[in-house]
Amino acid sequence: MSIVVNLDVMLAKRQMKSKDLSEIIGITTANLSILKSGKAKAVRFSTLEAICKALDCQPADILEYIED
Amino acid sequence: MKSISIIKKAINIFYYLFILTFAFESIKFMYYLILGNFDKLNPKFINDVINYTDTSGILTIVSNIIGLGLIYLFVLVIENLRLSTFELEQQNYFNDVVINSFKKAGGLLLIFAVIQLVSKFIFPVLLNTSFKLTSGHFPIFHVLIGLFFIFLSDVFKKAKKVTEENDLTI
């Protein structure tokens, strides 16, 4: 897929665990894992907003477009 | 939902009734075939166009085999619908079993309609009996229901895709 999710990188930069992030933004660890692995078909604005708020970052820090 | 339970029970009754009909007609066919008493044979679904007092042995056997085949096709249609009702009752609406069952049931109903239509045109010609074209020759109901089931299968296929995408929306 052309859209790459760099959530792992941001989590490492903020020294935060996936479990903690999932608790803060209110989604299950299973869903967060789907998002991190790039298997997700879509991301809700509300989820993106919550992630950006929790990690204090911009959407572009999490999502990246790479040409195939 | 209560309606699906009622449909399931009705389909189950139809299913066992048609299996019994198929078994009974097969035994009757074999019995009269062994006795050579062809005028007693009266295959279901195409019996309205055949006058067995004029028939030859081979035509009687062929028409009866087609009649038995049509009953068997109907059993298969009901079996597929039965499969789908089991899934629908458990609220597994959009899965491959339901999609394939509807598609197979629709296709089999169309095959049933074609065989019935062709038989009703061919047998009067072969038997040299007077041929009158009536609305009963065109199994419009079976064709419409068959096409509707195929359409339903496509709708369920799209719904499955939408459901999967919805499940993968975080």
Side-chain angles (χ1 to χ4, degrees):
Chain A
M1 200 172 165
S2 311
I3 301 291
V4 177
V5 182
N6 292 321
L7 201 54
D8 272 339
V9 179
M10 280 312 294
L11 279 168
K13 277 183 186 172
R14 297 290 184 262
Q15 293 180 330
M16 193 186 279
K17 286 178 182 172
S18 296
K19 197 185 169 194
D20 297 333
L21 180 66
S22 67
E23 278 172 11
I24 293 166
I25 63 177
I27 63 169
T28 60
T29 47
N31 276 343
L32 192 65
S33 175
I34 290 170
L35 189 59
K36 275 168 39 181
S37 61
K39 285 178 186 167
K41 293 270 182 184
V43 184
R44 288 191 190 90
F45 277 146
S46 57
T47 309
L48 193 60
E49 188 185 332
I51 292 170
C52 290
K53 194 177 176 184
L55 296 174
D56 188 26
C57 64
Q58 293 297 313
D61 297 327
I62 302 162
L63 302 173
E64 186 185 358
Y65 172 70
I66 295 172
E67 209 166 331
D68 287 328
Chain B
M1 280 189 281
K2 204 178 174 183
S3 57
I4 192 68
S5 299
I6 297 166
I7 292 168
K8 190 187 157 193
K9 280 173 190 164
I11 286 176
N12 264 337
I13 292 167
F14 265 109
Y15 179 68
Y16 291 117
L17 275 177
F18 267 91
I19 284 181
L20 282 175
T21 307
F22 180 70
F24 176 73
E25 290 289 322
S26 303
I27 293 165
K28 195 177 94 177
F29 172 60
M30 294 302 286
Y31 178 71
Y32 287 121
L33 191 69
I34 292 163
L35 289 181
N37 205 352
F38 293 156
D39 58 325
K40 297 263 184 183
L41 292 169
N42 195 19
K44 294 268 181 292
F45 295 119
I46 51 171
N47 52 2
D48 52 329
V49 296
I50 300 169
N51 181 7
Y52 279 97
T53 52
D54 306 333
T55 51
S56 67
I58 289 171
L59 274 178
T60 306
I61 292 166
V62 170
S63 64
N64 271 277
I65 289 169
I66 290 172
L68 283 174
L70 286 173
I71 298 171
Y72 184 67
L73 269 179
F74 220 85
V75 169
L76 288 179
V77 169
I78 297 170
E79 192 181 3
N80 277 294
L81 294 179
R82 198 167 157 255
L83 261 176
S84 64
T85 53
F86 281 127
E87 293 292 321
L88 292 172
E89 199 189 23
Q90 289 165 7
Q91 301 191 341
N92 298 328
Y93 301 115
F94 311 118
N95 63 25
D96 286 333
V97 176
V98 176
I99 293 164
N100 291 334
S101 300
F102 278 153
K103 199 171 188 175
K104 277 184 196 168
L108 288 167
L109 263 178
L110 287 180
I111 293 168
F112 174 90
V114 170
I115 294 173
Q116 196 183 23
L117 181 70
V118 171
S119 302
K120 284 187 173 185
F121 275 101
I122 284 175
F123 280 108
V125 175
L126 291 175
L127 298 168
N128 293 320
T129 52
S130 57
F131 178 72
K132 285 176 187 171
L133 197 63
T134 62
S135 60
H137 279 83
F138 298 98
I140 296 167
F141 183 73
H142 293 124
V143 172
L144 285 178
I145 297 291
L147 289 173
F148 188 72
F149 275 128
I150 291 170
F151 171 71
L152 261 185
S153 162
D154 287 340
V155 170
F156 273 64
K157 202 174 182 179
K158 281 185 183 170
K160 187 194 165 200
K161 198 180 168 190
V162 170
T163 309
E164 278 172 359
E165 280 185 5
N166 193 42
D167 289 344
L168 287 172
T169 297
I170 313 296

